[in-house]
Amino acid sequence: MQTRELSIPGAWEITPRQFGDDRGTFMEWFKEPAFTAALGHGLHLAQANCSVSAAGVLRGVHYADVPPGQAKYVFCAAGAVLDVIVDLRVGSPTFGRWDSVLLDDVDRRAVYLSEGLGHAFLSLADGSTVVYLCSEGYAPDREHGIHPLDPDLAIAWPTQGRDGRPLELTLSGKDEQAPSLAEALAAGALPQADVVAAHVAGLRGEAVNR
């Protein structure tokens, strides 16, 4: 398993080693020792989610209040998605920037994003199946969104699917009504970088003391 930190601190790309033969493919898409070695702390698993999306479905940008926040380990079991991580931590040197990783059923990469980061993905094929491990359970009062088409974010969403056909974006009603980054900032609704850093440092301390 190979790990690579993205341009957004706290976000990582994980590439598993695949073992294939005439029967199919086997891989370990999450390994706690390798994960802890790269990040300095383990992943507390509170909830596992699975979503299946048609081509053009755009989900996010979602984030949670910190503490406790919600870290995610994201894997595409079938199909393909462009997975996007946005730095929403006020005071971070990379605040407002984004990075992306293609998650698909070929390279079978995964993405980890720590607390305080925003997450979104665009399905590039019908039936794209995304599973993600979450450090905290769903809590509607602590979870928020930023509009994924906010021009200030300027996320370069693909215009064609994996089959080369044009994509028609489909958003949920909730995501359609999400505020812009500037509106969320003005409302004081975004995570603070120093608070997130202290929270993550506490997780590392817990890992060391185990």
Side-chain angles (χ1 to χ4, degrees):
M1 179 175 288
Q2 298 178 335
T3 58
R4 177 179 70 90
E5 190 167 20
L6 301 180
S7 63
I8 304 300
W12 296 74
E13 174 192 273
I14 300 96
T15 304
R17 184 180 178 187
Q18 300 188 59
F19 301 89
D21 56 27
D22 56 1
R23 300 170 300 162
T25 303
F26 173 83
M27 81 211 71
E28 297 168 332
W29 68 277
F30 176 78
K31 290 188 71 174
E32 197 277 337
F35 179 90
T36 300
L39 276 78
H41 64 82
L43 175 63
H44 170 69
L45 177 59
Q47 184 170 307
N49 299 337
C50 177
S51 68
V52 181
S53 303
V57 170
L58 177 54
R59 301 181 187 270
V61 178
H62 300 149
Y63 69 99
D65 292 336
V66 181
Q70 188 185 60
K72 297 176 182 177
Y73 190 99
V74 187
F75 176 75
C76 183
V81 303
L82 183 72
D83 197 88
V84 173
I85 299 93
V86 183
D87 193 346
L88 301 178
R89 302 166 297 192
V90 179
S92 166
T94 54
F95 174 74
R97 299 183 193 174
W98 59 273
D99 202 347
S100 65
V101 176
L102 175 66
L103 305 182
D104 61 18
D105 52 14
V106 178
D107 294 323
R108 302 186 189 277
R109 297 185 180 96
V111 162
Y112 172 78
L113 59 146
S114 65
E115 295 83 353
L117 299 178
H119 180 244
F121 64 82
L122 173 62
S123 173
L124 305 178
D126 286 334
S128 292
T129 303
V130 176
V131 293
Y132 35 110
L133 311 178
C134 303
S135 65
E136 297 289 338
Y138 176 66
D141 57 326
R142 297 199 308 265
E143 303 198 14
H144 313 281
I146 301 295
H147 201 291
L149 304 181
D150 180 359
D152 287 339
L153 292 180
I155 298 172
W157 295 112
T159 58
Q160 292 184 327
R162 185 156 74 166
D163 60 3
R165 297 180 182 178
L167 289 175
E168 183 176 343
L169 300 185
T170 303
L171 282 69
S172 70
K174 183 177 180 180
D175 288 343
E176 282 276 16
Q177 297 172 10
S180 67
L181 180 66
E183 290 169 336
L185 179 62
L190 298 175
Q192 299 294 313
D194 57 345
V195 174
V196 174
H199 179 70
V200 174
L203 296 178
R204 292 198 175 102
E206 290 175 5
V208 170
N209 294 328
R210 285 178 184 172

